Amino acid sequence: MSTASFPEGFVWGVSTSAFQIEGATSAGGRGPSIWDVFSADRAEACDHYHRYPEDVRLMKDLGMAAYRFSVSWPRVFPDASGKVNEAGLDFYDRLLDALLAVGITPYATLYHWDLPQAVEELGGWPSRDTARRFADYAAAVHGRLGDRVDTWFTLNEPWVAAFLGYGDGSHAPGRKSAAEAFRSAHHMMLAHGLATQALRSGGAARVGTVLNISPVLTPAQVSDFGRRLSEEDAEAVARIDALANRQFLEPMLRGSYPAEILPIIERNGGLDHIRDGDLDIIAQPLDLLGINYYSPSVVQAQPSEPAASAYPGSEGVLFCTIPTAVTAMGWPIVPNCLSLVLRRLSAEYPELDLMVTENGADFVDVVTGDGIHDVERISFVEEHLRALLSAVEDGARVRGYLVWTLLDNFEWTEGYQRKFGLVHVDFATQKRRPKDSALWYRDVIRRNGLTETRPKRPTLETVAARSGVSRATVSRVVNGEASVSPEVRTAVMRAVKELGYVPNAAARSLVTRRTNAIALVLSVPRQGDALTAAVVQYVTSMLEGAGKQITLMLADTAESHRRIVQQAEARLVDGVVLLPPDRGDTLAERLSRTDVPIVLLGKPAVASLVPYVDVDNAGGAAAATEHLLASGRRRIGMICGPMDLVAVQDRLAGHRAALQRAGAQPLLALADLTRASGAAAARQLLGDEPALDAVFAATDQLAVGALQAARELGRRVPEDLAIVGFDDIDAASATTPGLTTVRVPLAEQALAVARLLLSRLEGRHTTSVVLPTRLVVRESS
């Protein structure tokens, strides 16, 4: 079979990070890091600190030529005294010797987010002094290990460390300040420059840094990179590209900030932290730029949109979900965007060598007696490698590719549930087990390339022919049916193992006479046409992309219910997506008895074994109420109704819980779903409670009615009366004043429904999905 080869000398390997795999968080004099303090889980991780000989042997067996690891700063400098912990460096001595003994080239990263807690307590990255401390740390590490490490990376993904750690607060150390995020970003780049000087002074052969670079596109551009943009969308794309990518690329590689960034920084805390001479230090010549690529950033102009907390300065830009295949993390899979990144960087910085230092995916792995058949991960890596090779053939200066990651590990805020590794880790026993992707990657390394034609996977028919039985019999064995004789079962399983066959949905369901038809059952929409439209668009797109045929059915009468149940009982459909009516009926219960996989959109009124997708109505209502309390409002009324809607019940529960925590009493007025009833309820509340200073409405329609009533009664919004809604309908941003509301993720719900049904069709264990909501603060509060 012919091979699509990579250039001679192309470097193959894997990347890891200290905090995610080492464990031993108090061994050998190591001090706490910001992640030890921030994380709810104890990060004993993969116990690599003690088990590194086994992990090095694994890498050797898998043919790795390179290993990018990170040094733990708190293992080297456990406190703020500036005294080196020699025992911490001893560990890396042993690791390097083990790597070099088996011919694996080490690539060292000095900072992968694990700032010593002692340094954080002295100000952390918003403090300029941290940059100097980092340079001292770099010099100490190089002084001990520099005789065995040729290539040094200073930082890993400073955007994540700065803007998720200090701006958004979702990463350690959990601070939430746009000003501190921008200061942290600048000081990290200053630290990079000072560390680069220190490394070169010590004789380092090659110095680089690692950035997470994602192309910024509109939804239309994802499928057509050349699509022309409106002026508004072009500005939105350029601004997010400046915030996410060029904020680091241009200072480090050109010695200047992008022009559009400086006004944003100035508005968010000023520019006094950017001093004369800083950019000269930051722009030290680099030998290698590491690129971490996972997925694109997809945006479009949306004038009413508030700034995302991780992107201060992104007002008027909507971050979009796109209907494409996703990883288990929900990240869109767009391999061609890797080509786009590499071509762009080689065009803009033509003398700079590049290396893909992270690329990989989280998927749900199933451990079986004969292996871990992670076909999805193999496909992900293969398609990205083909995209990389295409860029190389077009002249991109890419010198290597490192998979993220060697081992299933501690995935930061996600804990242990995410599985990015080529090697499975049983965290109870620390047993390592290579997945199929590890063995596939080993073969890629041996060939230095990919097969020109993708190997044809064994099919149900292949197994049937090998074992001398019918396709239906193979399906029954795969499904574990007891009716198959032991002799036939043995023959089929022998064929499955010999061929490396991975049962797919069709095999597991052949016995049910699969039709590939899915019923999308719509009740009369009561939560807004936008949700129904999103479901029809995204569920249809994703399921049709998976080879399904969609049948739209309306469940608005008893006769229509009977007809839908009959179709399921006759197995004329393989699955059902049901948008349940807001008021209870028995359709979901009747469908659940047919054994056809069904998924509900919206939590049912009565607890059900049928999985559903919903949003965190209670959490959203609590956030809205807490916002009003934090802004000084003390007499808060809620317009609530209709009370037989499950979503409204949950929103009321969240509102009451927030008031209870604040020691306040709920004030309620009931309504239906119309603006007129919202206005009437607001008049009632204001009549009963003249001192009322805030209204939380269970829906935006009710809130718009409350705005109308406030105007009629001469109450100024927000001076006299703050008003908050729920749903973020299109009208919310156009009210006067703009309505503060709780955003419900429409597209995400629809995509989650489709993914949940596909998982059920595949026979996987599934649980209900509850998506987070987000408070959107506008002038009404």
Side-chain angles (χ1 to χ4, degrees):
M1 187 175 290
S2 59
T3 301
S5 297
F6 284 75
E8 185 177 352
F10 192 83
V11 176
W12 298 97
V14 288
S15 287
T16 66
S17 87
F19 185 76
Q20 293 180 268
I21 67 166
E22 283 182 3
T25 53
S26 58
R30 179 190 181 275
S33 75
I34 54 175
W35 276 95
D36 293 291
V37 174
F38 181 81
S39 175
D41 291 308
R42 184 164 178 80
E44 290 309 310
C46 309
D47 196 27
H48 176 73
Y49 182 85
H50 296 108
R51 298 171 183 269
Y52 73 89
E54 177 184 357
D55 294 337
V56 171
R57 285 196 301 273
L58 266 173
M59 286 187 276
K60 172 63 176 175
D61 292 343
L62 295 173
M64 305 298 174
Y67 176 47
R68 174 181 166 246
F69 66 99
S70 78
V71 178
S72 168
W73 188 349
R75 205 176 283 289
V76 178
F77 284 97
D79 54 41
S81 68
K83 182 180 179 181
V84 175
N85 176 35
E86 298 295 340
L89 286 171
D90 289 345
F91 165 69
Y92 298 103
D93 259 334
R94 297 190 295 271
L95 174 63
L96 289 176
D97 288 346
L99 290 167
L100 294 171
V102 296
I104 297 174
T105 301
Y107 288 68
T109 303
L110 287 168
Y111 186 68
H112 200 130
W113 309 349
D114 51 353
L115 184 72
Q117 179 63 23
V119 177
E120 170 64 18
E121 290 170 1
L122 292 174
W125 283 113
S127 169
R128 188 179 183 87
D129 193 49
T130 302
R132 178 189 60 78
R133 292 178 182 276
F134 181 73
D136 293 343
Y137 156 66
V141 174
H142 182 269
R144 180 73 173 273
L145 309 178
D147 58 330
R148 284 156 292 169
V149 177
D150 289 332
T151 302
W152 296 83
F153 293 111
T154 54
L155 308 173
N156 180 82
E157 298 186 0
W159 181 88
V160 174
F163 288 90
L164 297 189
Y166 290 89
D168 175 74
S170 59
H171 275 208
R175 297 202 219 175
K176 298 181 180 181
S177 165
E180 290 188 344
F182 283 117
R183 286 178 177 270
S184 296
H186 181 76
H187 292 151
M188 285 182 198
M189 290 190 286
L190 182 62
H192 154 78
L194 293 170
T196 300
Q197 291 176 336
L199 291 167
R200 289 228 165 90
S201 295
R206 295 201 304 168
V207 181
T209 198
V210 175
L211 302 178
N212 53 306
I213 303 294
S214 293
V216 184
L217 308 167
T218 64
Q221 284 182 310
V222 172
S223 56
D224 179 6
F225 291 161
R227 177 72 67 92
R228 296 191 62 175
L229 300 180
S230 67
E231 184 177 338
E232 295 80 8
D233 279 347
E235 189 279 330
V237 165
R239 184 152 35 108
I240 300 306
D241 184 54
L243 287 166
N245 298 324
R246 290 186 287 123
Q247 180 176 186
F248 298 93
L249 284 169
E250 294 188 15
M252 288 178 162
L253 300 176
R254 290 180 173 155
S256 62
Y257 273 103
E260 61 265 56
I261 280 287
L262 291 174
I264 296 174
I265 299 175
E266 188 169 26
R267 290 198 306 272
N268 288 278
L271 299 170
D272 61 298
H273 61 288
I274 303 175
R275 300 183 185 176
D276 290 345
D278 281 3
L279 287 164
D280 292 333
I281 296 172
I282 290 169
Q284 297 298 304
L286 294 184
D287 301 296
L288 185 64
L289 178 64
I291 304 300
N292 293 353
Y293 171 77
Y294 292 95
S295 62
S297 296
V298 185
V299 303
Q300 65 186 38
Q302 181 75 37
S304 62
E305 189 71 12
S309 56
Y311 293 87
S314 63
E315 297 88 353
V317 179
L318 177 67
F319 287 80
C320 305
T321 300
I322 52 174
T324 187
V326 296
T327 68
M329 292 278 281
W331 296 349
I333 301 172
V334 190
N336 286 346
C337 280
L338 177 58
S339 295
L340 199 63
V341 166
L342 299 174
R343 290 189 181 103
R344 168 192 174 177
L345 292 172
S346 287
E348 294 182 0
Y349 307 99
E351 303 304 316
L352 184 62
D353 281 352
L354 307 174
M355 173 178 275
V356 176
T357 39
E358 287 186 26
N359 178 239
D362 166 43
F363 291 108
V364 177
D365 294 326
V366 179
V367 180
T368 69
D370 64 342
I372 302 161
H373 307 302
D374 55 338
V375 176
E376 293 169 308
R377 185 171 293 104
I378 293 172
S379 175
F380 180 97
V381 175
E382 179 177 6
E383 293 307 317
H384 282 81
L385 284 175
R386 292 189 187 280
L388 189 159
L389 184 57
S390 173
V392 169
E393 290 170 346
D394 287 345
R397 294 169 61 95
V398 187
R399 303 311 185 204
Y401 176 87
L402 309 179
V403 169
W404 184 268
T405 180
L406 175 66
L407 305 167
D408 288 341
N409 59 27
F410 184 82
E411 191 55 38
W412 307 111
T413 56
E414 300 286 341
Y416 295 103
Q417 65 176 319
R418 300 301 179 187
K419 310 297 182 185
F420 280 85
L422 297 176
V423 176
H424 175 266
V425 177
D426 181 335
F427 291 104
T429 64
Q430 290 296 343
K431 181 180 178 181
R432 275 76 162 143
R433 188 176 183 185
K435 305 174 189 177
D436 285 359
S437 57
L439 307 179
W440 173 87
Y441 190 49
R442 177 194 61 193
D443 294 340
V444 170
I445 295 171
R446 285 176 179 171
R447 288 192 301 265
N448 191 39
L450 301 163
T451 55
E452 285 279 14
T453 56
R454 295 163 176 78
K456 190 173 182 181
R457 293 176 187 160
T459 65
L460 195 69
E461 289 78 4
T462 313
V463 177
R466 173 69 67 92
S467 53
V469 298
S470 68
R471 292 172 72 246
T473 299
V474 173
S475 180
R476 290 189 179 93
V477 172
V478 169
N479 279 290
E481 287 196 13
S483 60
V484 182
S485 70
E487 296 80 10
V488 171
R489 183 180 305 280
T490 299
V492 170
M493 293 310 297
R494 184 187 305 117
V496 165
K497 186 172 183 179
E498 289 173 353
L499 293 168
Y501 173 66
V502 180
N504 60 17
R508 284 191 288 263
S509 303
L510 178 65
V511 72
T512 65
R513 295 188 294 114
R514 174 150 293 197
T515 66
N516 282 329
I518 303 296
L520 179 52
V521 180
L522 309 178
S523 61
V524 178
R526 300 190 59 87
Q527 299 182 34
D529 289 336
L531 180 56
T532 300
V535 170
V536 173
Q537 176 187 353
Y538 290 112
V539 170
T540 300
S541 176
M542 180 172 281
L543 293 179
E544 286 184 345
K548 312 302 178 187
Q549 297 176 342
I550 308 302
T551 301
L552 286 173
M553 307 180 78
L554 188 62
D556 58 344
T557 65
E559 174 58 26
S560 64
H561 286 201
R562 187 187 63 78
R563 187 170 61 252
I564 292 164
V565 172
Q566 279 184 337
Q567 293 236 0
E569 288 174 338
R571 309 312 291 252
L572 299 178
V573 294
D574 294 335
V576 176
V577 172
L578 174 61
L579 278 71
D582 290 323
R583 292 172 171 83
D585 65 38
T586 61
L587 180 58
E589 180 188 348
R590 292 163 68 191
L591 284 169
S592 70
R593 294 199 294 263
T594 67
D595 293 329
V596 169
I598 71 170
V599 172
L600 305 180
L601 178 65
K603 187 170 73 172
V606 179
S608 170
L609 295 178
V610 176
Y612 62 85
V613 173
D614 201 7
V615 298
D616 186 6
N617 287 295
T625 307
E626 288 162 357
H627 165 70
L628 291 170
L629 290 165
S631 63
R633 311 290 172 162
R634 288 296 173 263
R635 299 292 290 170
I636 304 172
M638 181 177 180
I639 301 175
C640 196
M643 289 308 300
D644 55 350
L645 303 187
V646 176
V648 171
Q649 294 168 13
D650 286 348
R651 292 172 191 183
L652 174 59
H655 172 71
R656 280 178 163 159
L659 289 178
Q660 185 177 20
R661 287 191 292 270
Q665 294 297 317
L667 304 168
L668 301 181
L670 299 181
D672 58 31
L673 292 173
T674 64
R675 294 187 185 185
S677 71
R683 293 188 200 100
Q684 177 191 330
L685 281 171
L686 291 167
D688 294 342
E689 295 286 339
L692 200 74
D693 57 10
V695 169
F696 169 54
T699 72
D700 283 350
Q701 294 285 8
L702 298 178
V704 173
L707 284 170
Q708 175 188 335
R711 281 195 299 270
E712 292 170 355
L713 296 171
R715 301 293 293 268
R716 296 175 303 161
V717 178
E719 292 84 356
D720 301 331
L721 186 71
I723 297 178
V724 179
F726 203 118
D727 288 330
D728 199 22
I729 62 174
D730 288 343
S733 62
T735 60
T736 304
L739 180 65
T740 291
T741 182
V742 177
R743 171 160 301 160
V744 172
L746 301 181
E748 287 84 348
Q749 287 182 80
L751 291 169
V753 164
R755 289 195 290 268
L756 194 57
L757 183 63
L758 288 173
S759 293
R760 296 209 72 196
L761 294 174
E762 292 279 350
R764 300 175 188 164
H765 173 70
T766 55
T767 58
S768 297
V769 175
V770 178
L771 297 169
T773 55
R774 181 162 70 88
L775 185 69
V776 180
V777 179
R778 300 193 182 103
E779 293 82 355
S780 72
S781 70

